[in-house]
Amino acid sequence: MPTPVGRLTVLYDADCPLCVHLRHWLLRQRQLVPLDLVPAGSHEARRRFPDLDHSATLREITVVGDRGQVYRETNAWIVCLWALADHRAKAHWLATPAGQPFARVTVLAAAKWREALKGPHREGGHCEDGRCEVPDPPD
């Protein structure tokens, strides 16, 4: 039997304008499953999840469930949508064989856009001095 998810932690790249925009968008949504948004590679991420490959979390969105479930790439985006009241039905469809190609293309497009927008790479593959600053949402 699958382990239920009571809370999700989204590890996102705080140096990526697209990722920060999506972070703010997620925070504005009505959540059926609470989302904690933590900068990937930060001290907080490393403290919470010492066994994760933190350099990989900087390359691809990673979501961790409160029971140890780990979702990456397309599955991470789908589980984020699943956690939201207004997007759960879309997440269910994206998880089907019919929806998977759309989910994958969306994630690939976002990855290309992310690379085009991304600021300077962090030295050593993590936030400077282990702290990632998140810009405020646009007015």
Side-chain angles (χ1 to χ4, degrees), residues 82-100:
W82 173 84
L84 305 175
D86 294 336
H87 301 282
R88 184 164 277 187
K90 177 65 76 180
H92 282 290
W93 180 78
L94 289 170
T96 68
Q100 276 286 325

Side-chain angles (χ1 to χ4, degrees), residues 116-131:
L117 292 176
K118 191 164 170 139
H121 292 284
R122 291 175 278 207
E123 190 172 314
H126 60 278
C127 304
E128 267 183 49
D129 74 6
R131 290 180 24 118

Side-chain angles (χ1 to χ4, degrees), residues 13-20 58 111-123 125-126 128 133 135:
D13 185 347
D15 281 346
C16 163
L18 175 61
C19 304
V20 171
L58 288 166
K112 284 189 182 284
W113 192 23
R114 176 180 179 250
E115 284 304 312
L117 292 176
K118 191 164 170 139
H121 292 284
R122 291 175 278 207
E123 190 172 314
H126 60 278
E128 267 183 49
E133 297 299 321

Side-chain angles (χ1 to χ4, degrees), residues 47-82:
R47 183 189 68 76
R48 288 186 186 200
F49 311 110
D51 295 332
L52 274 183
D53 177 352
H54 290 277
S55 60
T57 68
L58 288 166
R59 291 188 305 272
E60 60 190 30
I61 182 174
T62 303
V63 178
V64 182
D66 58 348
R67 306 262 197 289
Q69 311 92 324
V70 178
Y71 307 91
R72 298 185 196 286
E73 297 178 340
T74 304
N75 290 332
W77 287 108
I78 292 171
V79 80
C80 284
L81 291 174
W82 173 84

Side-chain angles (χ1 to χ4, degrees), residues 8-36:
L8 294 166
T9 301
V10 180
L11 300 175
Y12 69 94
D13 185 347
D15 281 346
C16 163
L18 175 61
C19 304
V20 171
H21 171 78
L22 291 170
R23 172 197 183 270
H24 294 309
W25 180 82
L26 285 168
L27 290 173
R28 290 191 309 268
Q29 305 304 305
R30 190 165 55 95
Q31 299 173 4
L32 297 173
V33 175
L35 297 174
D36 295 328

